[in-house]
Amino acid sequence: MAGYVVVGTQWGDEGKGKVVDLLGKHVDMVVRYQGGNNAGHTVVVNGKKTVLHLLPSGILNKDALCVIGPGVVLNPFVLFEEVEALEKEGLQCDHLRISDRTQLLMPYHVRLDELIEARGGKYKVGTTKNGIGPCYADKYSRIGIRVCDLQDWNVFEEKLKSTLEIKNAEIEKVYGGEPFDYDEIVAQFKGIREKMLPMICDSVSLVNEALENDKVVLFEGAQANMLDINYGTYPFVTSSSPTSAGVLEGAGVPPQSLTRIIGVAKAYSTRVGEGPYITELLGDEGEALRQKGFEFGATTGRPRRCGWLDLPVVKQAVRINGLTDIAMTKIDILTGYDKIPVCVGYELDGKQIDYVPASLEVYGRCKPVWKVFDGWTEDISQIRNYEDLPENCRKYVEFVEEYTKTSVSLVSVSPEREGNIIRKPLI
Ligand code: GDP
Ligand code: IMO
Ligand code: MG
């Protein structure tokens, strides 16, 4: 079976959208398996930029069926905004399918996310305020509403009535917020339901049949390992499993269907939102890297925190995901630095460690252990052969390979679909 996975190895925004899109021509199906419209995946084709939040990044390729899987939390209003924006530009989205098991992200989830974040102080996670956490919380509390519930309007109304009672009480009594009017939500969903019905499918059959028939299926991760609910810097994480393990539960496919697991790693690092970040550059240095790398959130527009490459973080992703390959992105942004530090371990209470500790108090005591690389000055964005890269740039790539014991099979040198050095074909 030919299942390929693309996941983030750091804190998101590594360039997963670009990698999924560039593999598009080899792929029969692209499946989103977790997260929701907290994701912002950028695809650049012939200078034209498209940012996708819920639509799989294979959508620009008409020949690939795009599936929103059961593990996703789906805000249908955002989905159809995206669909309609693409259709205005002449791309019909009739190759989009939605799993009947997908959770619906409701208007009250968005409000709750805003209210919970507004408490501020130590409670603030710096979420995208798109309702992701509250929607997953309802899923696991078993009061979520699923896409299949829309297929039987009576079931939808009944579930909405009982869940809204609980949610309105929480909004009003716990957080002092404005409750929702049942009839208003019903009216909104009546409209969106008509658009959704033709796209709803039993994704378990659809995706597994594709795999059984040797079709190439690409599973597109959102967020990244350090934002994982189990392995990230909890509680400064998202509420799903962006890992390769997340594919199995979020897309409903067997472990043996995953042939290659590609981790996308930015050549430096960025993070949006709160939480520990050992290699962060503060002040002018951070600002300079942010400007150089255009590091502003694709979903919220927030400035991304920037810093040097943290290899214990990437190694953690190699282990947890079972990465077979690394796709290194944005190494072109490092052009012009005289010296490039890379974190190769943490010093903790006088000892060196190379893993990410669970406790944030312990992680807070970790200091980076640096290895400093010499930089290069050449513009590398037009280079397509690995041997043509400056020697110091190659040394940087090869050190990552050596440290992680994982092949850096693709080196991306520009945002464009074609801006890559392919060392080993990924598909
Ligand atoms: P994702 O969330 O992992 O899909 O990543 P984002 O799209 O949020 O952020 C990655 C940003 O880097 C986007 O603006 C991409 O267009 C851009 N990008 C991706 N690869 C490269 C690269 O190799 N070089 C440069 N300069 N930009 C890149
Ligand atoms: P892509 O797929 C970067 C971060 C938020 C916040 C934390 C929790 O584009 O890489 P949430 O809204 O999920 O409850 O927020 O996770 N976050 C991301 N950071 N890229 C993303 O997605 C992210 N999705 C969520 O900033 O710190
Ligand atoms: Mg992003």
Side-chain angles (χ1 to χ4, degrees), residues 101-219:
R101 289 184 160 83
T102 305
Q103 293 281 326
L104 286 171
L105 192 147
M106 306 295 286
Y108 47 78
H109 292 134
V110 180
R111 187 164 300 168
L112 273 166
D113 201 355
E114 289 164 355
L115 288 165
I116 294 167
E117 282 289 285
R119 292 178 308 167
K122 65 174 185 190
Y123 297 112
K124 189 166 178 263
V125 171
T127 72
T128 58
K129 296 190 190 162
N130 284 319
I132 307 299
C135 187
Y136 277 114
D138 281 1
K139 169 180 178 171
Y140 287 101
S141 297
R142 295 161 294 185
I143 55 166
I145 304 176
R146 295 185 297 166
V147 166
C148 58
D149 299 328
L150 278 174
Q151 289 175 309
D152 185 332
W153 189 244
N154 291 330
V155 171
F156 177 78
E157 283 193 322
E158 211 174 282
K159 289 198 172 177
L160 178 62
K161 206 164 266 163
S162 66
T163 297
L164 191 60
E165 233 171 75
I166 305 168
K167 294 286 110 180
N168 270 343
E170 191 183 348
I171 287 171
E172 257 190 306
K173 299 201 175 101
V174 180
Y175 300 108
E178 187 73 19
F180 279 88
D181 180 48
Y182 169 80
D183 292 327
E184 231 170 77
I185 300 185
V186 164
Q188 286 171 350
F189 270 86
K190 254 193 186 139
I192 209 88
R193 171 179 188 258
E194 294 307 315
K195 298 185 194 175
M196 287 175 74
L197 286 178
M199 296 178 176
I200 302 174
C201 69
D202 171 32
S203 67
V204 175
S205 307
L206 185 75
V207 178
N208 279 287
E209 274 167 21
L211 287 165
E212 288 153 14
N213 291 317
D214 287 328
K215 301 281 187 216
V216 177
V217 181
L218 182 60
F219 299 97

Side-chain angles (χ1 to χ4, degrees), residues 12-18 39-44 49 51 57 220 223 264 266 292-295 297-298 304 328-333 411-416 419-420:
D13 303 329
E14 298 90 351
K16 298 175 292 293
K18 173 185 164 160
H41 294 182
T42 314
V43 174
V44 183
K49 176 167 143 175
V51 181
S57 302
E220 175 179 2
Q223 294 81 51
V264 187
K266 209 178 267 192
K292 216 161 177 260
F294 308 105
E295 294 295 354
R304 295 174 180 151
M328 188 187 279
T329 58
K330 300 196 90 162
I331 195 160
D332 53 300
I333 301 297
V411 180
S412 166
V413 289
S414 98
E416 279 283 340
N420 312 295

